[in-house]
Amino acid sequence: MRLDPIMMADRSDEDNDTGLLVKTKPKTKRPPMYKVLLLNDDFTPMEFVVHVLERFFGLNHAQAFEIMLVVHKKGLAVVGVFSHEIAETKVAQVMDFARRHQHPLQCTMEKEE
Ligand code: TYC
């Protein structure tokens, strides 16, 4: 015989008194993704930017040239979407490569909506 009161905790999968099963949502939230952005400037040579896009973002020459032109004309473009760690690595690689070649090219990351 049960002497202690029946608590809600004993009926965790049931709604108050309806007897209906209420399934709790499985917590499978995907990790946030980050856009990597390339910014235009007046000094970095176009061919250098194309090379950066081929080297660090795995684009072929035509794709790289196309995105470089978008940045040149619009001021910036998303060049890829990655996990936080990969995005950070891409940004650091681009910034370091540009600095070593004394170009003012800027690359940054932004959390996806
Ligand atoms: N605007 C630069 C030029 O005319 C080319 C350029 C393109 C620079 C893209 C940066 O992210 C950039 N030489």
Side-chain angles (χ1 to χ4, degrees):
M1 170 137 77
R2 182 167 187 152
L3 299 172
D4 57 317
I6 297 170
M7 308 298 284
M8 282 304 291
D10 295 330
R11 316 171 65 226
S12 59
D13 269 352
E14 282 183 43
D15 196 11
N16 298 335
D17 276 304
T18 65
L20 296 172
L21 285 172
V22 178
K23 296 201 174 125
T24 49
K25 213 179 201 172
K27 293 196 187 72
T28 56
K29 253 198 314 192
R30 287 168 288 103
M33 298 292 276
Y34 291 79
K35 298 181 282 191
V36 171
L37 306 151
L38 206 57
L39 277 53
N40 188 38
D41 66 73
D42 291 339
F43 306 102
T44 305
M46 289 185 174
E47 276 311 319
F48 182 82
V49 178
V50 171
H51 180 70
V52 162
L53 291 169
E54 291 172 341
R55 181 171 179 142
F56 299 115
F57 297 93
L59 303 181
N60 67 38
H61 193 77
Q63 295 168 329
F65 197 90
E66 197 174 313
I67 293 186
M68 179 281 296
L69 270 189
V70 173
V71 180
H72 177 70
K73 290 175 182 167
K74 306 258 191 185
L76 83 178
V78 176
V79 298
V81 179
F82 308 97
S83 70
H84 188 271
E85 188 176 358
I86 300 291
E88 261 188 350
T89 301
K90 301 281 181 195
V91 170
Q93 285 173 330
V94 172
M95 294 298 282
D96 185 57
F97 192 64
R99 185 190 52 75
R100 274 157 41 211
H101 289 83
Q102 300 187 300
H103 294 310
L105 181 64
Q106 295 293 303
C107 185
T108 185
M109 61 193 272
E110 180 180 290
K111 195 175 180 178
E112 260 197 341
E113 61 283 338

